[in-house]
Amino acid sequence: MTDTIAVMGIRARGHHGVLDFEQAMGQTFVVDVEMAVDTAQAGASDDLTHTVDYGAVATQVAAIVTGPPFQLIEALAERIAQRVKEFPGVQAVTITVHKPYAPVTEVFEDVIVRITR
Protein backbone atom coordinates (compact mmCIF):
# COMPACT_ATOMS: atom_id res chain seq x y z
CA MET A 1 0.00 0.00 0.00
CA THR A 2 1.28 3.47 -0.84
CA ASP A 3 0.27 6.81 0.62
CA THR A 4 1.05 10.31 -0.61
CA ILE A 5 2.78 13.25 0.99
CA ALA A 6 2.66 16.38 -1.16
CA VAL A 7 4.18 19.83 -0.95
CA MET A 8 2.49 22.08 -3.46
CA GLY A 9 3.44 25.52 -4.68
CA ILE A 10 7.08 25.82 -3.61
CA ARG A 11 8.06 29.22 -5.04
CA ALA A 12 11.64 30.25 -5.76
CA ARG A 13 13.46 32.53 -8.15
CA GLY A 14 15.66 30.77 -10.65
CA HIS A 15 17.60 31.55 -13.81
CA HIS A 16 16.50 28.64 -15.98
CA GLY A 17 15.77 28.95 -19.68
CA VAL A 18 17.16 28.69 -23.16
CA LEU A 19 17.12 32.43 -23.82
CA ASP A 20 19.98 34.58 -22.55
CA PHE A 21 17.70 37.07 -20.80
CA GLU A 22 16.01 34.26 -18.83
CA GLN A 23 19.33 33.23 -17.34
CA ALA A 24 20.40 36.83 -16.78
CA MET A 25 17.21 38.21 -15.24
CA GLY A 26 15.64 35.12 -13.69
CA GLN A 27 12.00 34.51 -12.91
CA THR A 28 9.73 32.80 -10.41
CA PHE A 29 9.27 29.04 -10.69
CA VAL A 30 6.68 27.04 -8.80
CA VAL A 31 7.23 23.36 -7.94
CA ASP A 32 4.78 20.73 -6.75
CA VAL A 33 6.20 17.58 -5.15
CA GLU A 34 4.11 14.43 -4.64
CA MET A 35 5.87 11.57 -2.87
CA ALA A 36 4.70 7.98 -2.67
CA VAL A 37 5.47 6.77 0.85
CA ASP A 38 4.19 4.31 3.41
CA THR A 39 2.90 6.42 6.30
CA ALA A 40 1.62 3.53 8.45
CA GLN A 41 4.53 3.52 10.90
CA ALA A 42 4.47 7.31 11.29
CA GLY A 43 0.71 7.24 11.78
CA ALA A 44 1.05 4.66 14.53
CA SER A 45 4.07 6.19 16.26
CA ASP A 46 3.45 9.93 15.74
CA ASP A 47 7.23 10.20 15.20
CA LEU A 48 8.77 12.40 12.49
CA THR A 49 11.68 9.98 12.06
CA HIS A 50 9.21 7.43 10.64
CA THR A 51 8.15 9.60 7.72
CA VAL A 52 9.47 12.08 5.15
CA ASP A 53 10.22 15.53 6.52
CA TYR A 54 8.37 17.64 3.96
CA GLY A 55 9.98 20.82 5.31
CA ALA A 56 13.40 19.44 4.45
CA VAL A 57 12.10 18.42 1.02
CA ALA A 58 10.83 21.96 0.37
CA THR A 59 14.18 23.43 1.41
CA GLN A 60 16.06 21.13 -0.97
CA VAL A 61 13.69 21.90 -3.85
CA ALA A 62 14.12 25.65 -3.35
CA ALA A 63 17.91 25.22 -3.23
CA ILE A 64 17.87 23.45 -6.60
CA VAL A 65 15.61 26.08 -8.19
CA THR A 66 17.83 28.92 -6.92
CA GLY A 67 21.03 27.04 -7.78
CA PRO A 68 22.93 26.70 -11.04
CA PRO A 69 20.74 27.25 -14.10
CA PHE A 70 19.39 24.67 -16.50
CA GLN A 71 18.34 25.49 -20.03
CA LEU A 72 15.27 23.25 -19.86
CA ILE A 73 12.70 22.91 -17.11
CA GLU A 74 12.72 19.21 -17.99
CA ALA A 75 16.29 19.09 -16.66
CA LEU A 76 15.28 21.09 -13.58
CA ALA A 77 12.43 18.65 -12.89
CA GLU A 78 14.77 15.67 -13.32
CA ARG A 79 17.31 17.08 -10.85
CA ILE A 80 14.59 17.77 -8.29
CA ALA A 81 13.18 14.25 -8.70
CA GLN A 82 16.63 12.72 -8.21
CA ARG A 83 17.16 14.67 -5.00
CA VAL A 84 13.71 13.94 -3.54
CA LYS A 85 14.12 10.22 -4.24
CA GLU A 86 17.21 10.28 -2.00
CA PHE A 87 15.01 10.94 1.06
CA PRO A 88 14.50 7.73 3.06
CA GLY A 89 11.05 6.26 2.56
CA VAL A 90 10.30 7.91 -0.79
CA GLN A 91 9.24 5.10 -3.12
CA ALA A 92 8.34 7.29 -6.10
CA VAL A 93 7.96 10.98 -6.82
CA THR A 94 5.99 13.17 -9.19
CA ILE A 95 7.46 16.61 -9.81
CA THR A 96 5.58 19.41 -11.53
CA VAL A 97 7.58 22.49 -12.48
CA HIS A 98 5.49 25.53 -13.35
CA LYS A 99 7.00 28.33 -15.42
CA PRO A 100 4.17 30.89 -15.37
CA TYR A 101 6.30 33.67 -16.88
CA ALA A 102 7.72 31.68 -19.79
CA PRO A 103 8.55 33.85 -22.81
CA VAL A 104 5.61 32.73 -24.95
CA THR A 105 4.05 35.23 -27.36
CA GLU A 106 0.51 33.87 -26.96
CA VAL A 107 -1.71 34.52 -23.96
CA PHE A 108 -1.40 31.57 -21.57
CA GLU A 109 -1.89 30.74 -17.93
CA ASP A 110 1.02 28.42 -17.20
CA VAL A 111 3.66 26.18 -18.71
CA ILE A 112 4.37 22.96 -16.82
CA VAL A 113 6.53 19.91 -17.04
CA ARG A 114 5.40 16.93 -14.93
CA ILE A 115 7.57 13.85 -14.47
CA THR A 116 7.21 10.71 -12.38
CA ARG A 117 10.22 8.70 -11.25
Side-chain angles (χ1 to χ4, degrees):
M1 179 168 31
T2 303
D3 307 314
T4 301
I5 296 176
V7 185
M8 310 299 278
I10 302 165
R11 296 184 193 302
R13 187 164 185 84
H15 293 264
H16 313 288
V18 174
L19 304 175
D20 290 340
F21 76 87
E22 291 181 288
Q23 293 202 3
M25 295 177 58
Q27 60 190 288
T28 299
F29 292 84
V30 181
V31 179
D32 301 329
V33 178
E34 298 174 65
M35 298 165 283
V37 299
D38 182 348
T39 64
Q41 186 177 10
S45 69
D46 197 26
D47 184 342
L48 178 61
T49 63
H50 296 153
T51 190
V52 178
D53 180 345
Y54 51 79
V57 170
T59 297
Q60 290 296 307
V61 170
I64 293 167
V65 173
T66 60
F70 295 96
Q71 288 193 9
L72 302 177
I73 59 174
E74 292 87 342
L76 175 61
E78 187 67 38
R79 178 64 190 103
I80 293 169
Q82 290 171 357
R83 177 61 189 104
V84 172
K85 282 186 59 186
E86 293 173 357
F87 279 83
V90 175
Q91 300 167 5
V93 64
T94 297
I95 302 296
T96 305
V97 175
H98 301 257
K99 189 175 180 179
Y101 305 107
V104 176
T105 57
E106 302 303 321
V107 176
F108 72 100
E109 186 172 320
D110 200 0
V111 172
I112 70 165
V113 168
R114 180 176 296 126
I115 64 171
T116 300
R117 300 291 182 261

